[in-house]
Amino acid sequence: MSINLDSLSAKELDALISQAKKRKTTLSKRKPIAVVRKKLTQLAKAEGYSIAELFGGAAPVAPARAAKTPARKVSKNAGKSVAPKYRNPANPSETWAGRGKQPRWLAAQTSAGKKLEDFLIR
């Protein structure tokens, strides 16, 4: 947080200074976190509880969203591999099943004038 002090009037500066002094006083009156944490742990232990039982061991739960998006349906064939349909004649280890984006080797060949059918695996 940065405040452009050059743009503030004298009245605004005085108000800012008084707010800062109030905040500083409030913070100086607070006990250190370690002291408060120790007191809470001792009090919980004296009553037979642990801090995790009282406040939960996990991070705070985020507020619920107003509208949930519907879950995406997963295809029954999701994750299954498909047999390749096309093979690179220059490098037979490079194949393509015909799904998704064309591989670079095939895109380069088709843009050079060859037909997709030329690369079919028989």
Side-chain angles (χ1 to χ4, degrees):
M1 175 181 115
S2 63
I3 299 172
N4 185 2
L5 298 176
D6 296 331
S7 66
L8 297 178
S9 68
K11 189 176 183 179
E12 292 171 327
L13 281 172
D14 288 337
L16 180 63
I17 290 169
S18 69
Q19 288 176 350
K21 284 181 181 179
K22 285 180 187 176
R23 179 68 180 148
K24 187 175 178 182
T25 303
T26 302
L27 290 176
S28 67
K29 289 181 181 178
R30 290 172 45 178
K31 293 183 180 180
I33 290 175
V35 173
V36 175
R37 188 175 291 143
K38 186 175 179 181
K39 280 185 179 180
L40 286 173
T41 305
Q42 289 173 348
L43 182 59
K45 192 181 248 185
E47 296 296 328
Y49 293 101
S50 70
I51 295 295
E53 287 177 308
L54 295 174
F55 299 107
V61 178
R65 288 189 271 165
K68 289 187 176 181
T69 56
R72 194 178 99 194
K73 292 184 180 180
V74 178
S75 170
K76 63 182 177 181
N77 295 326
K80 294 183 181 179
S81 62
V82 179
K85 295 181 183 177
Y86 304 96
R87 184 178 310 273
N88 184 356
N91 184 356
S93 66
E94 294 179 333
T95 59
W96 182 50
R99 293 185 174 183
K101 189 176 178 184
Q102 278 188 354
R104 290 182 181 151
W105 63 265
L106 186 58
Q109 294 288 338
T110 54
S111 66
K114 293 193 176 183
K115 294 184 180 181
L116 191 60
E117 295 81 32
D118 297 338
F119 302 99
L120 275 172
I121 298 175
R122 290 177 177 56

